[in-house]
Amino acid sequence: MISVKKRTEIHPSERRIILKHADDPEYDVSLQCYLRHGGYEVMKQAYGRKPEELCQEVLDSEVRGRGGAGFPAGMKWKFLDRKSGKPIYLICNADESEPGTFKDRQIMHKDPHQLIEGMMISAYAIQAAQAFIYIREEMPLGAQILEEAIEEARARNLVGENILGSGYSCELVVHRGAAAYICGEETGLIESLEGKRAYPRIKPPYFPAALGLYMCPTIVNNVETLCNVKHIAEMGGKEYAKIGKPGNTGTRIWCLSGQVRNPGYYELENGMFTYGDLIYKIGGGLRDGRSLQAVIPGGSSAKVWRAGERFTGKLRSGEEFNWGIEDVPLDFDGPMAAGSMSGSGAVMVIDDSVDIVEVLANINAFYAHESCGQCTPCREGSLWMKKITTRMANGGARPEDAELLASIGDQIAGRTICAHGEACAWPTQSFIAKFRDKFVEKAKEDPERAQKRTVRLV
Amino acid sequence: MAFELSAETLSYIEKTIPRYPQKRSAIMMILHAIQKEKGLLSLEAQEWVAEKLDLAPIQVREVVTFYPFYREKPIGKRHIRVCRTLSCALNGGYKVCDAFKKEFHTELDEISPDGRVTVEFAECLASCGTAPVAMVDDQLYENLNEEQVAAICEQIKKETPAADTAGSKS
């Protein structure tokens, strides 16, 4: 049996539902261990209920997708085309690749049966003909753990033919990617699972709920979202909705990384904390002698915040707000009100020891590498932005670069088939908007100095 | 010479194809299995897969050339992937990469002169909380510093004999 390192300390602010057992040193990935902890009991009860009741529970729970877009999962399920008569497919998006994100890794490596139970409940609820887990290539142990766990579950009739005598059958297959970020985009993932290049499809008409895998109705949900379904089925949608805040229900596993004292994953009740709590109280704040320069609030494609900036406006409730970064509520709506997004829950902290132009150069290198090449604005634009910021980082900055970068970014977003256009443009657009002075000053930098930096980012 | 696969890989392929509603879907898992056995995906291998799945050879090649993990050229006996992306870079990922290169007297994406390794940069390995990280084959190493890199390299040198013909580049 494969085992991975556990985290020894759990922060007292955490409310662990999804990661309840994950870091328990006595807990392992075997079916026996899962059963000892009450595993598959929720599924047994769920299979005695009508599928539409379970769909209603998910709708009532108001649970929002944990993969990045934050779309209500129950609504996504409601869009399923049930009239076509074609088989329905369920896919777990385990391609966790947005820089800064490492939460699904914890679930799959430490509690695989929870994901399988969540998936088998979801599959039954939507009446899927077959289910898949699309896991990124860089998690070979995770794939092996899941394969072995599925075998164990199949031997107990929890996966496969006539599950638990219910008359419902569903196979669960682990499928491995091959190191392409774009497979995290759901239509790209579907193309990849069909055995093709992961070129995303245009929406409309190719909404997976109607025209997904093999042009059949398909639901693609994130690992953490599918685990939540288990807990929604257990406590009931309305009860689940009491956790967190309205419209931001449940807990969320936040991934804190970058230049912070205690990086890590923290499962917190939505809306009960702020970015300040996460970075300073839970994450221990910045390292000795360092001060905050920037925060990327939801994975590297999210728009950056500059230390000291204020966000003002009116919430949907009509309430006025005036926040600093540290006041932004840690949930889905807070970062959106502050002009960015919580994305995949990946919070990256950048201190004053690094050059902000280089930070963008690092991010741009990622998105240029990961563009699928289908749409000209993204393919060419992401590469141009990478080349310009790399040149700037290496001592070749010009006064007009800030303008040039902004104009390229502005010509990508909204002009591509998939959201990779936005993902590659938002960093450049927001870094220039927030740090224009630094990008302009960069042209005055001594090229020799550029070669002597202590932390290299490109 | 005809393209041949081990009995183990063949039986895995036969078992994998019927797991999918359409056999073309099995292509990625088959390519993984063949690359694991052969170290790379030759044109002969790609033609074999095309025949197996009733595809045109180009439909296999376009998959092989799209996904960064598939390769048509050989690499060293051990595959070292250092995460290059932001959280790792902010915590010294580039230094870690330099340390691996120095230990094996090699440059990025080349086979080291002793044939033991190929060092590559990888994009975000999804372990940003324990940055910087690197993978050696299937194993993830976290919170790396230069001393730990030296220890990992020692281990690799102990486990992996140097190639007979030194200095070969792909």
Side-chain angles (χ1 to χ4, degrees):
Chain A
M1 187 172 42
I2 301 171
S3 70
V4 298
K5 243 185 285 165
K6 304 266 173 158
R7 204 172 86 195
T8 47
E9 274 174 50
I10 291 159
H11 196 274
S13 301
E14 287 192 65
R15 178 169 179 188
R16 288 198 165 195
I17 295 176
I18 306 295
L19 296 179
K20 187 172 177 196
H21 303 299
D23 284 309
D24 175 350
E26 306 294 311
Y27 193 82
D28 62 45
V29 296
S30 70
L31 178 67
Q32 284 230 316
C33 178
Y34 191 64
L35 292 174
R36 267 205 310 279
H37 289 79
Y40 291 106
E41 285 304 318
V42 181
M43 177 177 158
K44 281 176 194 162
Q45 285 182 6
Y47 274 50
R49 299 179 68 185
K50 288 198 180 113
E52 26 324 343
E53 282 176 33
L54 294 166
C55 291
Q56 188 60 44
E57 298 286 12
V58 175
L59 199 60
D60 289 344
S61 75
E62 295 174 43
V63 66
R64 290 168 73 165
R66 272 26 176 185
F71 191 78
M75 198 73 86
K76 202 177 203 181
W77 289 14
K78 231 184 146 90
F79 290 151
L80 261 180
D81 175 11
R82 294 175 181 281
K83 293 194 191 110
S84 69
K86 293 192 247 180
I88 293 168
Y89 294 108
L90 174 68
I91 304 172
C92 170
N93 186 343
D95 195 54
E96 181 162 68
S97 306
E98 178 68 18
T101 320
F102 48 96
K103 62 189 181 66
D104 299 337
R105 167 189 287 281
Q106 314 308 328
I107 299 169
M108 294 188 287
H109 286 79
K110 297 171 184 169
D111 200 359
H113 284 286
Q114 182 184 197
L115 174 60
I116 296 169
E117 184 174 10
M119 282 194 75
M120 295 316 291
I121 295 169
S122 304
Y124 173 74
I126 65 167
Q127 288 289 294
Q130 194 171 344
F132 300 89
I133 300 174
Y134 190 110
I135 183 168
R136 64 180 303 196
E137 179 278 323
E138 296 90 333
M139 294 184 186
L141 294 186
Q144 199 183 331
I145 289 169
L146 284 166
E147 295 240 20
E148 288 172 11
I150 291 169
E151 277 312 312
E152 284 182 301
R154 185 179 289 112
R156 290 275 187 130
N157 192 217
L158 297 157
V159 169
E161 292 288 313
N162 188 20
I163 299 164
L164 299 167
S166 65
Y168 172 70
S169 302
C170 184
E171 273 302 332
L172 178 53
V173 172
V174 176
H175 185 90
R176 296 181 65 205
Y181 167 79
I182 202 65
C183 294
E185 199 281 341
E186 61 178 4
T187 62
L189 185 157
I190 286 169
E191 285 282 309
S192 178
L193 188 49
E194 288 185 1
K196 303 168 192 163
R197 288 185 165 195
Y199 288 146
R201 298 172 177 171
I202 196 154
K203 299 192 262 190
Y206 299 110
F207 288 107
L211 299 169
L213 187 64
Y214 315 122
M215 291 298 148
C216 296
T218 302
I219 292 294
V220 185
N221 285 142
N222 168 262
V223 172
E224 188 186 350
T225 314
L226 288 163
C227 289
N228 270 290
V229 172
K230 182 207 147 173
H231 301 280
I232 292 163
E234 182 172 16
M235 59 181 96
K238 293 212 164 89
E239 206 48 41
Y240 176 96
K242 290 179 187 162
I243 307 168
K245 290 269 171 75
N248 295 272
T249 61
T251 61
R252 219 172 153 190
I253 308 169
W254 294 88
C255 307
L256 181 65
S257 71
Q259 293 165 313
V260 61
R261 227 185 277 258
N262 304 319
Y265 47 93
Y266 301 97
E267 184 172 353
L268 301 168
E269 196 170 342
N270 271 322
M272 301 299 178
F273 299 90
T274 61
Y275 274 80
D277 293 333
L278 178 65
I279 296 167
Y280 295 101
K281 288 190 190 142
I282 300 170
L286 291 136
R287 291 172 186 157
D288 285 337
R290 289 293 163 203
S291 57
L292 187 68
Q293 179 168 207
V295 173
I296 304 176
S300 69
S301 61
K303 291 179 182 168
V304 68
W305 290 334
R306 182 172 183 163
E309 74 170 304
R310 306 289 305 175
F311 311 104
T312 55
K314 238 184 207 178
L315 295 173
R316 253 184 290 179
S317 60
E319 192 192 327
E320 290 197 16
F321 65 90
N322 181 349
W323 296 327
I325 292 175
E326 60 286 357
D327 309 316
V328 178
L330 202 57
D331 57 17
F332 289 93
D333 294 335
M336 275 175 76
S340 189
M341 62 173 181
S342 64
S344 51
V347 181
M348 299 161 108
V349 178
I350 296 151
D351 72 22
D352 60 349
S353 68
V354 291
D355 183 331
I356 204 73
V357 177
E358 282 191 51
V359 173
L360 180 63
N362 180 286
I363 295 173
N364 283 348
F366 177 84
Y367 291 100
H369 184 265
E370 302 299 342
S371 172
C372 81
Q374 220 184 172
C375 310
T376 308
C378 169
R379 180 187 65 242
E380 303 299 320
S382 64
L383 195 60
W384 294 353
M385 294 189 296
K386 173 199 157 168
K387 284 182 176 172
I388 294 166
T389 44
T390 304
R391 168 171 57 68
M392 292 177 81
N394 289 328
R398 300 168 194 155
E400 66 272 20
D401 281 336
E403 275 321 306
L404 180 59
L405 281 167
S407 99
I408 297 169
D410 292 347
Q411 292 178 76
I412 303 171
R415 291 173 164 86
T416 55
I417 288 172
C418 85
H420 194 83
E422 281 74 28
C424 76
W426 284 344
T428 291
Q429 289 175 311
S430 64
F431 274 73
I432 300 292
K434 304 281 174 78
F435 293 95
R436 184 177 287 268
D437 53 332
K438 304 268 181 188
F439 280 78
V440 173
E441 275 168 28
K442 189 78 180 163
K444 295 180 198 143
E445 188 191 38
D446 175 7
E448 297 253 319
R449 213 185 125 239
Q451 304 300 328
K452 285 185 197 147
R453 53 212 183 213
T454 46
V455 183
R456 257 173 71 211
L457 302 181
V458 283
Chain B
M1 198 174 69
F3 180 73
E4 279 176 19
L5 286 167
S6 68
E8 195 192 343
T9 303
L10 281 173
S11 105
Y12 170 82
I13 291 171
E14 294 305 332
K15 210 174 68 199
T16 300
I17 295 172
R19 284 185 182 168
Y20 294 92
Q22 295 185 9
K23 58 182 176 182
R24 184 174 183 176
S25 287
I27 187 171
M28 291 180 76
M29 298 300 271
I30 294 176
L31 292 174
H32 278 306
I34 296 177
Q35 181 166 290
K36 192 152 191 126
E37 182 181 324
K38 303 283 186 192
L40 52 79
L41 296 163
S42 64
L43 287 179
E44 292 75 29
Q46 295 177 35
E47 277 168 25
W48 186 91
V49 173
E51 189 145 327
K52 191 84 204 154
L53 297 177
D54 288 330
L55 297 170
I58 188 65
Q59 290 173 306
V60 179
R61 189 123 201 260
E62 67 183 15
V63 169
V64 170
T65 53
F66 181 83
Y67 296 92
F69 185 68
Y70 297 134
R71 52 181 176 263
E72 296 181 296
K73 285 182 180 171
I75 58 168
K77 292 178 182 173
R78 308 290 294 273
H79 191 189
I80 300 173
R81 289 190 274 179
V82 183
C83 181
R84 187 209 65 85
T85 321
L86 190 57
S87 295
C88 281
L90 287 170
N91 289 292
Y94 275 76
K95 266 193 194 152
V96 166
C97 189
D98 287 344
F100 274 114
K101 289 191 316 199
K102 207 172 129 208
E103 286 282 343
F104 288 100
H105 311 287
T106 188
E107 290 302 318
L108 274 188
D109 306 324
E110 289 181 358
I111 298 175
S112 61
D114 63 6
R116 281 188 172 108
V117 302
T118 291
V119 180
E120 288 174 359
F121 259 140
E123 293 299 344
C124 193
L125 293 174
S127 190
C128 323
T130 52
V133 301
M135 283 176 83
V136 179
D137 300 326
D138 286 355
Q139 189 65 44
L140 180 75
Y141 292 90
E142 302 166 279
N143 294 310
L144 290 173
N145 55 36
E146 283 164 67
E147 292 81 64
Q148 279 163 294
V149 170
I152 294 167
C153 292
E154 269 317 297
Q155 184 76 15
I156 293 174
K157 285 174 193 170
K158 234 185 268 171
E159 291 168 355
T160 316
D164 301 336
T165 49
S168 64
K169 275 184 188 176
S170 59

